């Protein structure tokens, strides 16, 4: 089959790889009909390269048709249309039963001290072959895949794999009161969707912050009060501008949808770049243990949120943190919540929004649709923020 493989920093290729097969009785194999390119994939493209191996298959946002199931997958059959969550979880362990599927005790990557295995996301998360391919082996298929109806285009349901649950959890963790206010830092796919969900769930005002014109225009068109970072000489001016809209207090919650790709510390960027080109035995510990995260967005969130408010992190941070403003966190009595989205936990809440009325705008959420063979160009375009690329879907 054809698959998108990682070969080095900023080097992805579409290659022929062996077809996946049933390996465990709880496996399924699906034929992929659509697969997303995620902002998290860009971390593998550049920042987290010390944890990658040439030939790794990328991708974690798939949907498609079931081709084959193992003997212990009673709820699926060939021909079923499914969307597959990005994490692999069993559904019956202690963590899954408490709604923390990203901490699944059956698939935890204990050798790396990490949580549940993820599709296509480094050796830290199990080095599981990913979903930017023609076919995908799905472990724990008795629980993970979500059956969806025939009829609507893939776009209606594809984002259940990651984007919508991740944004939903970000808003849920932010604990925005009905009629309250929330600021979203970063208006890529997750931040954009978080704005939509916050409004749909009753936030009175949503403030969106970014520096990419197309992202700002898109969010503004959905009723978001937008702020272009380039219009402010210093972040304190931005903080003041939003505080002026919230009786001088700041918003009830701030969602950091940026993560380790934030524009910020030049030194941290240099460490990221150095780790990416070092031999893995040296670069991986450097990336994991030293100050490689660029925390401009998180520091801004802490400064911006009102006293007693909540900061919700959905952006991925990949290494140890730069010094944190603990005094400010403590003095402002800020609640801080974070984590990979527990997809299955939120699906029943989200599905009522996947209707023909399309309140979240998923049907036209993608800006680009390309064949799988164009993956190298798609990665470059998305990483460089060219041609208005905000969300890219690939079709095998």
């Amino acid at each position: 089959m054809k698959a998108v493989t990682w070969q080095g920093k900023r080097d992805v290729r579409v290659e022929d790889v062996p077809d996946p097969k049933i390996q465990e009785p709880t496996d399924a194999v699906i034929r992929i009909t659509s697969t997303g390119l995620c902002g998290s994939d860009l971390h593998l493209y550049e920042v987290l390269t010390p944890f990658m191996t040439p030939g790794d298959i990328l991708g974690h946002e798939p949907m498609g048709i079931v081709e084959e199931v193992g003997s212990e997958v009673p709820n699926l059959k060939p021909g079923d249309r499914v969307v597959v969550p990005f994490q692999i979880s069993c559904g019956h362990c202690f963590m899954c039963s408490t709604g923390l599927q990203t901490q699944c005790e059956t698939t935890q990557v204990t050798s790396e001290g990490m949580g549940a295995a993820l599709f296509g996301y480094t050796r830290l998360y199990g080095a599981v072959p990913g979903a930017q391919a023609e076919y995908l082996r799905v472990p724990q298929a008795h629980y993970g895949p979500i059956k969806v109806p025939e009829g609507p285009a893939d776009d209606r349901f594809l984002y259940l794999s990651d984007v919508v649950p991740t944004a939903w959890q970000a808003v849920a963790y932010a604990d925005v009161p009905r009629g309250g206010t929330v600021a979203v830092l970063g208006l890529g796919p997750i931040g954009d969707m978080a704005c939509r969900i916050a409004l749909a769930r009753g936030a009175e005002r949503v403030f969106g912050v970014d520096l990419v014109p197309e992202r700002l225009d898109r969010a503004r068109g959905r009723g978001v009060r937008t702020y272009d970072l380039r219009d402010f000489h210093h972040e304190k001016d931005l903080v003041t501008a939003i505080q002026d809209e919230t009786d001088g207090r700041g918003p009830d919650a701030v969602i950091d949808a940026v993560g380790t790709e934030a524009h910020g510390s030049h030194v941290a960027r240099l460490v990221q770049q150095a780790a990416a080109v070092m031999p893995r035995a040296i670069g991986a510990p450097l990336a994991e243990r030293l100050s490689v995260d660029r925390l401009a967005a998180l520091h801004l969130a802490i400064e911006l949120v009102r006293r007693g408010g909540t900061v919700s992190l959905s952006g991925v941070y990949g290494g140890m943190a730069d010094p944190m403003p603990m005094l400010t966190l403590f003095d402002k009595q800020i609640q801080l919540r974070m984590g990979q989205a527990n997809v299955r936990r939120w699906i029943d809440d989200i599905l009522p929004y996947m209707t023909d009325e399309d309140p979240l705008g998923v049907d036209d959420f993608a800006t680009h649709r390309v064949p799988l063979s164009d993956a190298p160009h798609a990665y470059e375009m998305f990483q460089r923020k060219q041609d208005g690329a905000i969300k890219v879907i690939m079709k095998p």
Side-chain angles (χ1 to χ4, degrees), residues 195-238:
C195 291
R196 302 179 187 204
I197 290 168
L199 289 167
R201 293 186 57 174
E204 179 181 351
R205 284 175 296 165
V206 176
F207 309 105
V209 180
D210 207 296
L211 45 67
V212 179
E214 293 86 354
R215 294 179 175 184
L216 291 161
D217 290 344
R218 191 160 126 131
R220 193 178 304 118
R222 302 287 303 194
V224 177
R225 173 77 165 89
T226 58
Y227 295 81
D228 189 333
L229 277 172
R230 298 169 301 175
D231 293 340
F232 299 90
H233 294 296
H234 193 278
E235 69 174 34
K236 288 188 179 297
D237 299 327
L238 171 63

Side-chain angles (χ1 to χ4, degrees), residues 268-325:
R269 179 168 178 81
L270 290 176
V271 175
Q272 286 180 351
Q273 292 175 337
V277 299
M278 288 179 177
R280 191 195 310 187
I282 300 172
L286 177 68
E288 200 167 2
R289 296 300 176 191
L290 296 186
S291 296
V292 298
D293 277 328
R294 301 159 71 196
L295 298 183
L298 178 54
H299 283 259
L300 175 58
I302 293 167
E303 181 72 17
L304 178 59
V305 71
R306 70 162 170 81
R307 291 178 178 272
T310 301
V311 172
S312 173
L313 303 185
S314 63
V316 174
Y317 287 97
M320 295 295 182
D322 287 333
M324 287 284 288

Side-chain angles (χ1 to χ4, degrees), residues 102-120:
T102 56
Q103 311 304 323
C104 174
E105 292 175 322
T106 300
T107 72
Q108 276 182 16
V109 187
T110 54
S111 61
E112 299 289 346
M114 305 299 281
L118 310 180
F119 288 104

Side-chain angles (χ1 to χ4, degrees), residues 176-198:
V176 185
R178 193 166 190 84
T181 56
V182 58
V184 179
L185 308 182
L187 298 175
I190 302 301
D192 183 344
M193 184 57 68
C195 291
R196 302 179 187 204
I197 290 168

Side-chain angles (χ1 to χ4, degrees), residues 133-183:
E134 293 180 309
Y135 294 89
L136 176 70
R137 171 181 167 255
V138 182
Q140 306 297 323
H142 61 284
Y143 178 66
I146 301 156
K147 287 197 284 189
V148 296
E150 299 293 338
D154 280 5
D155 292 39
R156 177 74 55 86
F157 304 111
L158 175 64
Y159 306 112
L160 294 174
S161 61
D162 184 352
V163 173
V164 177
T166 296
W168 189 279
Q169 179 170 294
V171 175
Y173 279 10
D175 197 23
V176 185
R178 193 166 190 84
T181 56
V182 58

Side-chain angles (χ1 to χ4, degrees), residues 1-6 12-15 17 32 34-42 44 56-63 119-120 128-136 372-373 375-376 378-379 382 391-396:
M1 69 171 183
K2 299 290 186 183
V4 180
T5 64
W6 183 92
V12 300
R13 306 173 194 174
V14 179
E15 297 189 321
V17 301
I32 294 174
S34 293
T35 185
L37 174 54
C38 179
S40 297
D41 293 324
L42 295 184
L44 313 183
D56 284 349
I57 300 175
L58 301 171
H60 57 269
E61 295 185 354
M63 72 173 294
F119 288 104
V128 181
Q132 290 169 6
E134 293 180 309
Y135 294 89
L136 176 70
L372 192 70
S373 57
Y379 267 84
F382 191 33
K391 186 59 183 179
V392 180
I393 294 176
M394 292 182 280
K395 298 279 191 176

